């Protein structure tokens, strides 16, 4: 007993130090204190409920954003144990909420934490970063409650009543002295909750936003697991196999895979490890790709679809038009890569390969029509790849002959230091002319666009190279496309799309974004793509400096500000800019191109799933969702150097 008491004191000190460290350097634990970090708090708590579901004891998790940005998460699992923890001398529940990494250090974990956010830091970190946290547990016929403020226990766990069910409920208010904002984005949380539901077959999750006048609620429950996931991803696409190919094996390394081919030319494979989206892929994805290539080639040979003289189909041919999700659970995952989203455990490749070789091989034998339809597409992809290679060689040969093959329309900048250089891609010759005159030619280049725009989603690489509108963009950026794209070769650190603030401009913008997304994705991932923001209005008056407004709200505010200075509305001239072409070079420089005064919006495509969905909406046959997206398009881009 004495031994424990001694240890209790020591642990408690460590506990306090631990949570103090979290408050001192929150970024170390949750990545950032921006809205991303804020959302992370919710995921940490929800993940604990998901673990309880994966253990087989919880079927439902309900999440609410209450008024005042209080988060509430409730599950119907066993309830966190309430009895005294032998190593800390306090209740297990309090231990979980006050000891950093309680799971690993004190939990005596027999199994493994299979879910868990990217950081997997646990409930104590959420507690440390909250103004207050309240945990209510129903277990053993009783209701228990405890309360914390900034991670410190202010009310120890006590029984507050009876209970006829079990479960855990956590409510917390994030600390506004730590986070930049407490304003949760419902759609971001909803997207992740939907994803968790796809990844956790059978688990019902609900999320409710109670902050507005009308509460908003979504419910997710997928008995199909990853089957439902790929169907969701493909909802705007034409399918080749109606029912997704589905593979599941719950061995030492549980693996779940769903595959559905579409008539599109793009490849969309999402991979997860312990419910974490492994954006950078890794050994599980490697195993998946290798098996896919092998099984389809073997089948094609075995059924004389590939003749003896034919070479093997390449992996990329077999992945054209594929939508797949692969989810594995790994006990001690090693995450590598720039964003720590690449699985490193080498043993996983073989596990995925061997189970998929067998299951996919069997599937193809049993479904020859699907096998044939997919292989037909692979073979035509292989021919297109050959054509693209020839087109590319043509471009290379040309460049060898002409030394500089920069597009004739490109007005290049004088600096050759890519980091400081910018290229403005401008629609229309008149705006291009103003931009050329208005720019700072030392580091700003202008590429006016002309010609017919291709629907890039529907075109293959060979067409893209040959397209008179996109080819100049490829050559100007200077880093190739597709698998050949080499970000170290880019000629400009900023690629800025400058288009009118009207429907046509939005169209050009989204088409170019699609193009970058499909063929120069690292450029978006690396944060090199921007949208210029030309003003919508100009207010002017003799003797007063012109006031430019970029939104309707801006205009309202400008009117009010000027009114406060004694300038009334009817004294002001209002010009509404319908297009970039209406601005003279000086105005264009001042409002849209001068780094001191312009507004640049950085294009972020962190969420590939969301992006893919957007582009499907944009490029699909449905017109209404496209228009709707373009109207609220600003949501997917974030403000920079205002
Ligand atoms: C509502 C918000 C999020 C949770 C449980 C259930 C248990 C548990 C949670 O145990 C300590 C460490 C490893 C066993 C486990 C209950 C075993 C038996 C649990 C949640 C003890 C944590 N009975 N439900 N933690 N473990 N739900 N939902 O947080 O060794 S956390």
């Amino acid at each position: 007993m004495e031994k424990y008491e001694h240890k209790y004191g020591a642990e408690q000190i460590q506990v306090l130090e631990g949570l103090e460290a979290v408050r001192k350097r929150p970024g170390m634990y949750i990545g950032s204190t921006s809205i991303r970090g804020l959302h992370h708090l919710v995921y940490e708590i929800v993940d604990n409920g998901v673990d309880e579901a994966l253990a087989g004891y919880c079927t439902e998790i309900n999440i609410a954003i209450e008024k005042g940005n209080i988060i509430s998460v409730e599950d119907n699992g066993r309830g966190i144990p309430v009895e005294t923890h032998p190593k800390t001398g306090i209740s297990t529940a309090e231990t979980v909420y006050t000891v950093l990494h309680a799971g690993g250090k004190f939990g005596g974990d027999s199994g493994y934490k299979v879910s868990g956010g990217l950081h997997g830091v646990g409930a104590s970190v959420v507690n440390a970063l909250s103004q207050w946290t309240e945990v209510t547990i129903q277990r053993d016929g009783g209701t228990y409650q405890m309360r914390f403020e900034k991670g410190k226990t202010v009310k120890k766990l006590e029984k507050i009543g009876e209970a006829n069910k079990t479960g855990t409920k956590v409510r917390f208010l994030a600390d506004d002295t730590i986070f930049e904002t407490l304003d949760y984005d419902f759609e971001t949380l909803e997207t992740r909750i939907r994803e968790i539901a796809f990844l956790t077959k059978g688990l019902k999750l609900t999320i409710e936003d109670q902050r507005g006048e009308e509460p908003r609620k979504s419910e997710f429950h997928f008995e199909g697991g990853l089957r439902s996931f790929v169907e969701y991803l493909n909802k705007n696409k034409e399918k080749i196999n109606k029912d997704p190919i589905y593979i599941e094996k719950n061995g030492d390394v549980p693996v779940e895979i769903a595959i559905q081919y579409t008539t599109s030319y793009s490849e969309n494979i999402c991979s997860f490890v312990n419910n974490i989206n492994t954006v950078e892929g890794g050994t599980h994805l490697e195993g998946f790709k290798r098996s896919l290539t092998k099984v389809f080639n073997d089948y094609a040979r075995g059924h004389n679809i590939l003749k003896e003289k034919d070479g093997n189909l390449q992996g990329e041919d077999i992945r054209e038009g594929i939508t797949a999700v692969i989810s594995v659970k790994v006990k001690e995952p090693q995450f590598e890569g720039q964003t720590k989203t690449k699985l490193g455990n080498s043993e996983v490749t073989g596990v995925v390969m061997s189970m998929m070789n067998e299951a996919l091989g069997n599937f193809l034998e049993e479904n020859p029509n699907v096998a044939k339809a997919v292989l037909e597409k692979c073979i035509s992809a292989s021919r297109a790849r050959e054509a693209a290679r020839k087109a590319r060689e043509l471009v290379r040969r040309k460049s060898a002959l002409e030394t500089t093959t920069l597009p004739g329309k490109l007005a290049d900048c004088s600096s050759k230091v890519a980091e400081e250089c910018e290229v403005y891609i401008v629609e229309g010759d008149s705006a291009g002319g103003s931009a050329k005159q208005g720019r700072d030619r030392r580091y700003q280049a202008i590429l006016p666009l002309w010609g017919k725009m291709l629907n890039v989603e529907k075109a293959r690489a060979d067409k893209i190279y040959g397209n008179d509108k996109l080819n100049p963009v490829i050559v100007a950026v200077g880093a190739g496309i597709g698998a050949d794209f080499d970000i170290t070769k880019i000629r400009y650190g900023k690629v800025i799309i400058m288009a009118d603030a009207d429907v046509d401009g939005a169209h050009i913008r989204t088409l170019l974004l699609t193009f970058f997304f499909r063929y120069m994705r690292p450029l978006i991932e690396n944060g090199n793509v921007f949208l210029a923001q030309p003003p919508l209005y100009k207010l002017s008056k003799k003797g007063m400096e012109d006031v430019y407004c970029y939104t309707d709200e801006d205009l309202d505010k400008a009117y009010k500000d000027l009114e406060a200075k004694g300038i009334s509305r009817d004294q002001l001239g209002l010009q509404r800019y319908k297009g970039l072409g209406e601005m003279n070079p000086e105005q264009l420089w001042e409002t849209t191109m001068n780094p001191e005064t312009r507004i640049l919006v950085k294009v972020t495509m962190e969420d590939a799933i969301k992006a893919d969905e957007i582009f499907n909406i944009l490029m699909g046959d449905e017109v209404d969702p496209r228009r709707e997206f373009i109207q609220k398009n600003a949501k997917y881009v974030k403000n920079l150097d205002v």
Side-chain angles (χ1 to χ4, degrees), residues 300-315:
R301 292 246 173 254
H303 293 75
N304 221 18
I305 296 171
L306 276 182
K307 307 282 187 304
E308 235 168 276
K309 61 175 171 53
D310 295 330
N312 265 359
L313 293 165
Q314 305 267 296

Side-chain angles (χ1 to χ4, degrees), residues 280 335-342:
E280 297 172 284
F335 289 111
E336 304 169 344
Q338 284 212 322
T339 56
K340 292 269 174 281
T341 56
K342 181 175 181 185

Side-chain angles (χ1 to χ4, degrees), residues 45 48-49 52 73-75 78-81 92 96 107 109 139 168-170:
I45 299 299
N48 290 336
E52 187 65 356
V73 183
E74 183 168 19
D75 73 31
R78 289 167 293 182
I80 311 177
T92 299
V96 168
D109 255 13
R139 196 183 156 94
T168 306
K169 178 172 180 174
V170 180

